[in-house]
Amino acid sequence: MSSTSPGLPVWLDTAIAEHGVAEVRGGENERILEYFRSTVYHAREDEVPWCAAFVCWCLDQTQQPNPSTVRSRDFLEYGVELDGWRLGAIAVLWRGSPTATTGHVGFVVQSMGDQIVLLGGNQGDRVDLAIYPTSQVLSYRWPMRTS
């Protein structure tokens, strides 16, 4: 399967098309609940952490191996590790501290020196762009198709 935008991985194209999908206060966004259906956890509300579910859904939509997880740090074992950032790479970040069990995951769209720009789910309660320090990156991952 090829990307509809030259030079972009297909999963990043899929993520870009979802830009702006947001939680619904006092209700549920069915699209976010759909993201969870690509995981082992089928959420009933959209106000739970959903960054990993979004990444899983994007991978699933483009026939990439899908770890089906809602835990960001599970992506540390996903695909192949890259030596550095790459457009469309999955960045796994720590939250709280590098040794904590919490984290965040999203797709790299740009590097700016000691910062990266991620397109991800649950960034400001929506699919959006956000800037993170590269010091928070635990790993950059790339899907590896299984034959």
Side-chain angles (χ1 to χ4, degrees), residues 45-142:
E45 61 182 85
D46 64 9
E47 293 181 22
V48 296
W50 52 275
C51 62
F54 175 71
V55 171
C56 287
W57 182 86
C58 291
L59 295 170
D60 210 27
Q61 298 305 299
T62 57
Q63 290 79 50
Q64 301 300 313
N66 171 11
S68 300
T69 186
V70 293
R71 296 190 63 228
S72 304
R73 287 189 183 224
D74 286 351
F75 278 91
L76 291 171
E77 304 298 320
Y78 175 76
V80 294
E81 185 166 27
L82 300 174
D83 291 336
W85 82 279
R86 182 170 164 189
L87 181 64
I90 298 166
V92 184
L93 289 75
W94 57 266
R95 277 197 199 233
S97 79
T99 58
T101 58
T102 56
H104 185 65
V105 65
F107 299 108
V108 180
V109 295
Q110 186 179 359
S111 175
M112 304 181 310
D114 62 352
Q115 298 178 319
I116 57 168
V117 180
L118 296 187
L119 174 61
N122 206 25
Q123 295 185 156
D125 296 333
R126 63 189 311 116
V127 176
D128 209 352
L129 298 168
I131 298 171
Y132 296 91
T134 56
S135 60
Q136 271 186 265
V137 176
L138 295 169
S139 182
Y140 295 104
R141 312 300 295 190
W142 195 259

Side-chain angles (χ1 to χ4, degrees), residues 15-23 29 35 119 125-129:
I16 290 168
E18 297 296 299
H19 187 249
V21 172
E23 293 177 12
N29 185 325
Y35 300 156
L119 174 61
D125 296 333
R126 63 189 311 116
V127 176
D128 209 352
L129 298 168

